[in-house]
Amino acid sequence: MKLPQRLSLYAGFGAILVLGVFAWAPATYPGYWQALEGFVPVFNLLQPSKLAAIATTPDLWRGVGSAAFLLSRPFLVAGLNPTAALRITFICCFLLGGLGTYAWLQTRVGDRGAGLAGLAYMLAPPLLATVYVRGSVSDAMVLALLPIALAGLTIYREGNHFSAATVAVIAIWWIWQTQAGLALLCTLLLLLYAGLVERHGMTLLIVALSGGAGLTSLLPLFSYQMPAPVNFFDHFVALFQLFRPGWQVMPSTPGWQDGYPFQLGFVVPLMALLTLWFWRYRTVRHTPAVKRMLWFGVIGLGVIIWLSLASSQWFWMASGASRLLTYPWQVLLFTVPLLAMMVGILPTLHPTLRQSPYWVVLLILIVLGSLPYLSTEFTQYQPPTSPLAVLGNNEIVVLTANLSENRQLHQAELAVTWQPIQPLPFDYNVFFQVLSGQDQTLVLANQIDVPPLDGGHPATSWRPGEILTETYQIDLTGIAPNAQLQYYFGYYDWRNGARLSVNGGIDDKLIFYGK
């Protein structure tokens, strides 16, 4: 199988555009996927601020910056609904990451190697999990911008193009405005890349100045430093978890049995190992820059994987770097560009793999290896522009609650739709109360206290991101037809009666007024 010469010159670029569809196709399905972050990105897109604050804790390092939604806003202005704007943003993240990887590596490994790397980047399990399991706009945007920064530095090193340096500066600045904790680690990675691989003083200076400017721009937000939502040191992974087949959509839980998708996949790591084997046992001429990239990839992967393991706990504690991230396994995001780089180098080490039949087989293997990680659950529910209430410590988002009264039938109903966004520590009950009288003289007329969802789906089994709906009925018998009524609804711990706070503690219940 031989491609036409003109087509062959851009086969790698075309492979990213054509086969990359597998990465972003699920984002085109109707509705929105039930990711672990739920509709929190939607709410924060509609009410922008320097740090996301709706149903999430604004935090300088771990929090979501305003630039995470920068690509979404034009689509909102164009009239798209928020979920559609976010879906397009995720699609853009895949395309920017893949094409950025191509631009980064094309001058070093050629069109076909760069195309292979770009496709591997788009279909990398850590990126797929970031989008379709976590639903994290900030982390996906960082992964989209990192290869663009690498491309800018490499192209500038090759030809001193001012435009390439400008692209690198913009990408680094954007990363800092998106997620500061990951941005600091990105800047460190880019500094090491510029110093050890490119060995060029100006590229090193570009990264240092851009990173310093990004950090300086966040000085007004330094007071926004909050405790971690989870114990960072409970969430190290075991080495076998990185390569365990299959995954389960669930939040990260401490322990070796954790089913969260930490996987690096099988096909791409095997190709990276094949790259090392050919590098070690085959005599192939390659440039010093490619040699340095290989060394950088090998050492970088080893360090990053080690940082996700429990043996690195002493380093996180001694350095204080645990302040930057919510979970230690987030560092595995940085394996994506390194693995893609090593896959892109593979065809340069074995000329046969540059020939069309073998190269196409490599592309197909990457696609097939990603298929187990492309499944996700969708909902057709259209969220409101803002949550009705946020309960507990950003644990439950009440999406809608509609009260209806029928005084003739002596009955009131409350239809509630909610979404957990954190694992709940206890099987809470719900209370639904009706009170009669004025605000200062309210008298409890009736109440119900029941497990939600008839006890068949207790609160501790709720998966963050799933949409739950239930209607609660309360008897109004004995209440005067013209009485003024108020209704209270909320969640409480039946062991001690403690109620979940509402909207950060302004109340401990939702209040509805009768007709």
Side-chain angles (χ1 to χ4, degrees):
M1 181 174 65
K2 188 174 181 180
L3 296 173
Q5 184 176 3
R6 180 170 294 183
L7 182 60
S8 180
L9 292 175
Y10 302 101
F13 185 82
I16 293 174
L17 295 180
V18 175
L19 296 179
V21 171
F22 285 94
W24 54 262
T28 65
Y29 300 164
Y32 193 74
W33 50 94
Q34 296 187 63
L36 297 176
E37 292 195 9
F39 291 120
V40 174
V42 176
F43 302 140
N44 286 284
L45 166 62
L46 292 170
Q47 301 185 36
S49 60
K50 285 291 185 180
L51 290 172
I54 301 176
T56 186
T57 302
D59 181 76
L60 170 66
W61 299 109
R62 304 183 186 95
V64 178
S66 59
F69 305 102
L70 198 57
L71 290 180
S72 304
R73 305 207 190 282
F75 300 108
L76 281 180
V77 174
L80 272 67
N81 64 54
T83 55
L86 280 173
R87 287 190 286 121
I88 294 176
T89 299
F90 282 118
I91 291 173
C92 291
C93 288
F94 282 117
L95 291 172
L96 288 173
L99 295 175
T101 301
Y102 179 89
W104 166 33
L105 299 173
Q106 194 271 336
T107 59
R108 299 279 170 82
V109 301
D111 169 79
R112 296 200 170 187
L116 201 64
L119 186 64
Y121 198 97
M122 294 177 74
L123 292 169
L127 176 55
L128 296 176
T130 297
V131 175
Y132 297 123
V133 177
R134 294 175 60 203
S136 175
V137 180
S138 60
D139 288 18
M141 188 62 65
V142 169
L143 280 180
L145 295 169
L146 180 56
I148 294 176
L150 288 164
L153 297 175
T154 301
I155 294 172
Y156 179 78
R157 172 67 175 88
E158 293 286 330
N160 289 328
H161 298 293
F162 178 76
S163 58
T166 303
V167 167
V169 170
I170 293 173
I172 295 170
W173 175 271
W174 197 338
I175 291 172
W176 272 97
Q177 304 304 312
T178 298
Q179 221 268 15
L182 286 175
L184 185 58
L185 297 178
C186 276
T187 302
L188 178 60
L189 180 69
L190 292 170
L191 284 170
L192 292 172
Y193 177 82
L196 300 177
V197 177
E198 299 302 337
R199 295 185 177 179
H200 188 250
M202 280 302 298
T203 59
L204 198 62
L205 185 62
I206 288 169
V207 176
L209 292 179
S210 302
L215 178 61
T216 303
S217 70
L218 299 178
L219 287 175
L221 303 176
F222 261 62
S223 60
Y224 290 92
Q225 299 197 40
M226 306 298 292
V230 299
N231 186 345
F232 180 89
F233 300 103
D234 286 343
H235 293 268
F236 288 106
V237 302
L239 187 62
F240 78 92
Q241 288 178 297
L242 303 180
F243 308 99
R244 184 172 55 186
W247 62 18
Q248 181 180 357
V249 179
M250 61 179 291
S252 180
T253 56
W256 61 267
Q257 73 279 13
D258 191 354
Y260 187 81
F262 307 107
Q263 287 88 330
L264 302 179
F266 285 97
V267 173
V268 169
L270 284 176
M271 287 185 179
L273 288 175
L274 191 61
T275 299
L276 295 179
W277 191 86
F278 284 139
W279 181 36
R280 175 66 179 83
Y281 293 105
R282 292 184 65 88
T283 304
V284 178
R285 288 189 175 184
H286 41 262
T287 64
V290 172
K291 287 183 180 179
R292 294 195 296 270
M293 291 171 79
L294 278 168
W295 277 113
F296 187 77
V298 171
I299 296 173
L301 284 171
V303 171
I304 291 169
I305 291 174
W306 173 71
L307 288 173
S308 70
L309 307 179
S311 58
S312 68
Q313 179 171 337
W314 65 269
F315 170 81
W316 291 101
M317 297 182 69
S319 66
S322 60
R323 183 66 188 84
L324 303 177
L325 304 174
T326 303
Y327 304 98
W329 45 257
Q330 281 180 277
V331 297
L332 294 173
L333 297 176
F334 299 113
T335 64
V336 177
L338 299 183
L339 284 170
M341 177 184 69
M342 296 185 70
V343 169
I345 294 172
L346 179 58
T348 71
L349 300 178
H350 199 303
T352 303
L353 297 178
R354 291 198 293 268
Q355 298 177 12
S356 295
Y358 300 99
W359 179 72
V360 170
V361 168
L362 293 178
L363 293 173
I364 293 173
L365 287 175
I366 289 175
V367 172
L368 293 177
S370 71
L371 294 182
Y373 308 105
L374 286 169
S375 60
T376 189
E377 298 179 23
F378 284 82
T379 176
Q380 301 305 310
Y381 180 84
Q382 288 296 324
T385 56
S386 61
L388 180 65
V390 179
L391 306 185
N393 185 21
N394 295 319
E395 294 172 293
I396 300 172
V397 170
V398 179
L399 300 170
T400 59
N402 299 311
L403 178 72
S404 60
E405 282 183 339
N406 191 323
R407 295 290 184 98
Q408 293 180 343
L409 296 179
H410 306 290
Q411 182 177 283
E413 291 185 347
L414 183 67
V416 185
T417 301
W418 71 95
Q419 184 179 55
I421 53 175
Q422 296 286 344
L424 297 183
F426 182 73
D427 289 327
Y428 296 107
N429 276 7
V430 298
F431 63 90
F432 183 31
Q433 301 174 336
V434 56
L435 299 94
S436 176
Q438 301 295 329
D439 287 341
Q440 302 300 322
T441 58
L442 287 173
V443 177
L444 181 64
N446 201 359
Q447 67 177 346
I448 59 173
D449 298 288
V450 295
L453 303 170
D454 293 326
H457 190 9
T460 52
S461 68
W462 297 347
R463 195 194 76 199
E466 68 176 321
I467 309 295
L468 302 169
T469 300
E470 190 170 31
T471 298
Y472 300 95
Q473 298 180 343
I474 195 165
D475 188 10
L476 303 181
T477 302
I479 299 176
N482 59 349
Q484 295 185 15
L485 302 181
Q486 288 189 28
Y487 298 86
Y488 293 168
F489 175 83
Y491 296 78
Y492 76 100
D493 186 335
W494 50 263
R495 297 170 300 181
N496 53 26
R499 297 175 175 180
L500 285 183
S501 62
V502 175
N503 295 335
I506 63 172
D507 210 331
D508 60 3
K509 58 189 174 297
L510 300 180
I511 303 175
F512 305 89
Y513 294 90
K515 296 180 181 179

